[in-house]
Amino acid sequence: MKIGKLGKINFIVFLVLFLCFSCSNKTEIKSSTIPDKKERVQKLLKEIKSDSEILDAEFDLFNVNGFSDDFVMIPGSSSIDYKFVVKVDPKKISNWTKDLSETSGNIGSEKWTVSLIEKREKEWKTASEPIFYKRKSDPSVVFIIFEKEGIIYKRILRL
């Protein structure tokens, strides 16, 4: 049986559509499913820009368009909600704050910080007072920094 030119085109169209719709497009990545510290750090580094070496990380990332490991055929709107906490060498904190403005804040009102660390809470103990920062050019980015411990919470919310 011979397949004509039209049949080949239909098959190719069907195959392309099938592949597009069968690819899963994850819109959320959580560190709570990754037990290994190095794996968590590596996974986060694929999605963010780091201003120093990251020693540990917890995160809850939402991106309506998916992530770097995903195949995305047609991008949608660019809504993201990235919540993460990283542990860095306290001497490197200034690398993270160079383009930021100090602002007021209340750690008690930032409930997302508690949910990020609940699985491995002992790794994220703090004794110092947090300092709140915002990016001058983008107030949708919030930093909560515990300088003494080298712990940086960051949230990027763009809807």
Side-chain angles (χ1 to χ4, degrees), residues 95-135:
N95 294 357
W96 292 77
T97 60
K98 60 185 171 230
D99 296 323
L100 304 178
S101 297
E102 202 169 316
T103 188
S104 61
N106 179 345
I107 194 71
S109 66
E110 303 291 342
K111 303 292 185 211
W112 60 272
T113 61
V114 175
S115 66
L116 273 180
I117 63 169
E118 66 188 354
K119 185 158 183 157
R120 289 175 276 268
E121 192 175 345
K122 290 179 183 175
E123 303 294 320
W124 301 98
K125 294 282 185 203
T126 57
S128 62
E129 286 296 313
I131 303 170
F132 288 75
Y133 293 91
K134 289 206 177 207
R135 184 167 282 141

Side-chain angles (χ1 to χ4, degrees), residues 3 7 22 34 39 41 43 57 64 69 76 100 115-116 128 136 146 152 154:
I3 300 175
S22 64
I34 306 169
E39 280 184 54
V41 169
K43 186 71 167 174
V64 75
D69 291 346
L100 304 178
S115 66
L116 273 180
S128 62
K136 296 170 190 169
F146 293 86
I152 302 168
K154 184 174 180 180

Side-chain angles (χ1 to χ4, degrees), residues 18-91:
F18 174 78
L19 289 174
C20 287
F21 288 109
S22 64
C23 291
S24 70
N25 183 17
K26 286 189 295 187
T27 58
E28 191 170 35
I29 302 173
K30 292 186 175 223
S31 61
S32 59
T33 62
I34 306 169
D36 183 69
K37 184 186 303 189
K38 287 181 181 168
E39 280 184 54
R40 289 193 306 272
V41 169
Q42 289 306 311
K43 186 71 167 174
L44 182 62
L45 285 172
K46 289 180 183 179
E47 307 304 331
I48 67 159
K49 177 187 167 285
S50 174
D51 292 312
S52 70
E53 179 186 10
I54 295 175
L55 306 173
D56 198 355
E58 297 290 347
F59 50 86
D60 182 357
L61 309 177
F62 171 80
N63 187 334
V64 75
N65 292 322
F67 295 94
S68 61
D69 291 346
D70 294 335
F71 172 79
V72 179
M73 184 68 172
I74 302 172
S77 61
S78 57
S79 297
I80 65 168
D81 186 4
Y82 283 15
K83 296 175 278 203
F84 61 91
V85 58
V86 294
K87 193 175 289 184
V88 301
D89 180 338
K91 295 178 199 137

